[in-house]
Amino acid sequence: MQAPMQAPMLARTLARTLARTLALACLAVPLPAALAQGPASAPAAASPSASASASASGELQAPRDFDAERKAVADSRAWTNYRFATAERACYDKFFVTNCIERAKETQRTELAVLRERELEIGEAERAFKAAKRDREQALRQAEYEASQPQRAADEQANRAEFERKQQEQKLRDAQRQAEAPQRAANAAEYQQKQADYDARMREARERGAEQARQRAENVKAYESKQQQAIQRQREVEERRAKAREKQGSGESPRPFGF
């Protein structure tokens, strides 16, 4: 009876021992090799083809892949936190739980401090690279500016000469215009006189036309009056003749001219 009861107890004891061993093994796992080593073990900054193209374009390439190094730090931090959580759970199966958890925390703090230093070093290296890249680009711009200085000076001189030529041409045009001012004034006066003569002739023509129209109207009126008078005389003659014929018919001797 005693032997069968001791078998399950022995199995549970072996399981707890195995769990402690695995937890200690997790705590003993070192940092990733890429983080345990210095910047010299950082990933390559660029492939040979990328470096060749960058050299051809004159662009300064980063000596390290800062993004990849940050990702490695983040992965290592996650791995450290995972191992601490695993070790913490395993500590609750031990007799001295608090002491075990403190040791796990100390290991975690040590590794996180290393990772923090590594992260700061990456940031400092990246800032230094960006500063060097900025200085290099500024130096290139300054060199290009200085190299183009002779051409700019030549262009400026040509522009100044063109400006002076245009100024001289403008002065000549102004002088010619001033010299032609009297002639232009005479031409303007002549034009005004011709315009005044034309206006006078047009006014005279309108007045003459109006007079002729009035005269024609008077002539028409006089003609119509004469026509009326002629008709009236003709009517009177006809009346006298008629009276003369009547008297002749009645035996009276006709009178000369009808009266």
Side-chain angles (χ1 to χ4, degrees), residues 169-226:
E169 291 178 355
Q170 183 63 37
K171 290 180 179 179
L172 289 175
R173 287 193 295 268
D174 293 341
Q176 184 177 1
R177 185 174 180 81
Q178 291 177 0
E180 295 173 352
Q183 184 62 39
R184 286 197 306 274
N187 293 338
E190 183 180 359
Y191 171 78
Q192 292 177 358
Q193 183 61 41
K194 289 181 179 180
Q195 189 67 30
D197 295 342
Y198 172 78
D199 294 340
R201 287 195 300 272
M202 289 296 295
R203 184 169 55 256
E204 182 180 356
R206 285 193 295 270
E207 292 176 355
R208 186 167 54 252
E211 178 64 23
Q212 292 175 355
R214 186 184 62 78
Q215 186 65 39
R216 283 194 300 271
E218 291 180 355
N219 294 338
V220 169
K221 186 176 180 181
Y223 173 78
E224 291 177 350
S225 178
K226 290 179 180 180

Side-chain angles (χ1 to χ4, degrees), residues 237-255:
V237 170
E238 291 294 334
E239 289 178 354
R240 286 195 298 272
R241 287 178 180 176
K243 289 179 179 181
R245 283 192 297 270
E246 290 177 357
K247 288 180 179 182
Q248 186 178 5
S250 61
E252 295 182 359
S253 57
R255 296 179 181 180

Side-chain angles (χ1 to χ4, degrees), residues 126-184:
E126 185 177 22
R127 285 191 295 273
F129 164 71
K130 289 182 178 180
K133 183 178 180 181
R134 185 172 58 252
D135 294 342
R136 183 174 182 272
E137 291 175 351
Q138 185 176 0
L140 288 175
R141 287 193 298 269
Q142 182 65 25
E144 291 176 356
Y145 176 81
E146 293 177 356
S148 62
Q149 180 63 28
Q151 183 62 38
R152 286 199 310 276
D155 294 342
E156 184 178 357
Q157 184 176 2
N159 293 335
R160 188 181 297 109
E162 180 68 15
F163 174 76
E164 292 178 355
R165 184 184 64 80
K166 291 182 178 180
Q167 289 292 101
Q168 292 296 330
E169 291 178 355
Q170 183 63 37
K171 290 180 179 179
L172 289 175
R173 287 193 295 268
D174 293 341
Q176 184 177 1
R177 185 174 180 81
Q178 291 177 0
E180 295 173 352
Q183 184 62 39
R184 286 197 306 274

Side-chain angles (χ1 to χ4, degrees), residues 19 23 81-94 97 100-101 104:
N81 293 330
Y82 170 77
R83 285 169 33 244
F84 168 74
T86 302
E88 186 180 26
R89 285 194 299 271
C91 287
Y92 287 103
D93 292 333
K94 294 184 178 182
V97 177
C100 178
I101 293 176

Side-chain angles (χ1 to χ4, degrees), residues 27-121:
L27 290 173
V29 175
L31 291 173
L35 295 173
Q37 297 177 2
S41 63
S47 61
S49 60
S51 300
S53 62
S55 299
S57 63
E59 183 179 357
L60 183 63
Q61 290 296 305
R64 297 156 55 181
D65 191 345
F66 299 109
D67 293 335
E69 292 185 22
R70 285 196 181 89
K71 185 178 183 304
V73 171
D75 292 343
S76 298
R77 184 179 288 110
W79 172 241
T80 296
N81 293 330
Y82 170 77
R83 285 169 33 244
F84 168 74
T86 302
E88 186 180 26
R89 285 194 299 271
C91 287
Y92 287 103
D93 292 333
K94 294 184 178 182
F95 181 77
F96 297 104
V97 177
T98 303
N99 190 23
C100 178
I101 293 176
E102 288 298 327
R103 288 199 303 272
K105 286 184 178 180
E106 182 62 26
T107 301
Q108 183 193 30
R109 283 194 294 270
T110 301
E111 293 184 2
L112 291 179
V114 173
L115 292 174
R116 178 58 181 166
E117 291 180 1
R118 178 66 175 150
E119 193 173 38
L120 293 176
E121 187 275 331

